[in-house]
Amino acid sequence: MEILGVDIGGSGIKGAPVDVEKGEFTQDRLRLTTPEGAPPQEVARVVAEIVAHFGWEGPVGVTFPGVVTGGVVRTAANLGDAWIDLAARDLFAEASGVPVTLLNDADAAGIAEMTFGVGRDRPGTVLMLTLGTGVGTALFLDGRLVPNTELGHIEIRGKDAERRASAHAREVHEWDWQDWSKRLGEYLRRIEDLLWPSLIIVGGGVSKKADRFLPLLKDVRTPVVPAELHNDAGIIGAAMAAVPGKELV
Ligand code: BGC
């Protein structure tokens, strides 16, 4: 079965039809730029453009970089307050004329990674992190998602953890891998103290460069492994979450 997956991020909105049994794109991905300031109506227009580009008429799974409950956005740390309490699922469905399933971006990436990536067949407590503009988290117990965990926002040294541990923070502060690994390590140790997971999966674009920073992490007791699906995970997981009758969120 094919479902269209769309991943909304701070800089780009990406979509592709996904074979949900194989976890693979069936056509080349389309990436459009996120409109300046990400106003909801304009983002909805871009989502509709992606749907139209693929001539899509079936269900569509869409990710959002914030908490989503029942199709309503609850937080939007990096996209602006206009989104808060907005029925974004309905907005996207009306703009594109197709049924939409809306879920958190890290949850979507985690769903894909637990089925087709490094998390497959991994029981117990598994935490997937996405290190990008923010820090997203997806928590699984025996493969089943606990939706909308927001562990990227725990406080460390008086600051929101994502201001220290995200890939964006590394770039803004021009931290080298060593500097950033210290901060990431401190974050992971705190997470361990709270959750004691059996595996931590590190995803997001920076996971392609995992060999530059994972070996530098100190005193982290949990095995930390790079994601395998990298930036495709959000789109694939969004599509998986939208399979009719098999809603995952
Ligand atoms: C948001 C999360 C999101 C993450 C990655 C955080 O700032 O609060 O909901 O998953 O960024 O986009």
Side-chain angles (χ1 to χ4, degrees):
M1 173 178 236
E2 276 184 52
I3 306 267
L4 184 67
V6 176
D7 193 18
I8 298 179
S11 54
I13 302 178
K14 301 164 285 184
V18 176
D19 177 327
V20 291
E21 276 93 32
K22 293 191 182 145
E24 287 169 7
F25 295 172
T26 58
Q27 294 183 51
D28 285 346
R29 176 192 97 145
L30 175 68
R31 182 190 190 276
L32 300 174
T33 305
T34 305
E36 188 63 39
Q41 298 294 342
E42 286 182 39
V43 168
R45 244 196 315 274
V46 175
V47 172
E49 205 178 318
I50 294 175
V51 171
H53 167 86
F54 290 105
W56 207 257
E57 288 174 352
V60 177
V62 180
T63 76
F64 185 83
V67 171
V68 179
T69 58
V72 176
V73 170
R74 300 297 184 183
T75 71
N78 297 301
L79 276 201
D81 290 352
W83 288 93
I84 294 175
D85 293 335
L86 186 81
R89 176 185 56 204
D90 295 346
L91 175 71
F92 295 156
E94 276 155 31
S96 21
V98 289
V100 168
T101 299
L102 188 70
L103 75 161
N104 173 262
D105 57 356
D107 285 350
I111 288 169
E113 205 61 51
M114 292 302 286
T115 310
F116 299 111
V118 69
R120 64 188 170 268
D121 303 326
R122 296 296 301 237
T125 304
V126 177
L127 184 71
M128 160 102 185
L129 301 174
T130 61
L131 306 177
T133 308
V135 171
T137 58
L139 181 65
F140 294 84
L141 177 61
D142 293 334
R144 176 127 192 250
L145 174 71
V146 180
N148 288 313
T149 54
E150 285 286 324
L151 300 169
H153 296 298
I154 63 170
E155 199 179 296
I156 295 193
R157 296 184 189 251
K159 285 215 173 97
D160 189 336
E162 78 173 16
R163 304 273 163 255
R164 298 163 52 84
S166 65
H168 178 69
R170 188 181 83 81
E171 285 159 19
V172 173
H173 298 288
E174 299 182 356
W175 289 324
D176 62 21
W177 293 108
Q178 189 69 255
D179 293 335
W180 184 57
S181 299
K182 271 192 214 145
R183 291 168 171 90
L184 183 61
E186 186 176 13
Y187 172 63
L188 295 180
R189 289 191 298 274
R190 181 73 69 76
I191 289 288
E192 285 183 324
D193 291 343
L194 297 169
L195 283 181
W196 290 88
S198 47
L199 181 71
I200 295 176
I201 304 173
V202 173
V206 76
S207 61
K208 283 184 217 148
K209 297 181 186 154
D211 56 332
R212 312 279 292 273
F213 63 94
L214 291 189
L216 303 177
L217 293 175
K218 289 218 177 74
D219 302 326
V220 180
R221 294 149 290 190
T222 316
V224 182
V225 295
E228 285 175 357
L229 305 172
H230 303 299
N231 274 339
D232 294 345
I235 297 176
I236 296 171
M240 291 170 70
V243 173
K246 288 202 178 173
E247 285 77 15
L248 297 170
V249 285

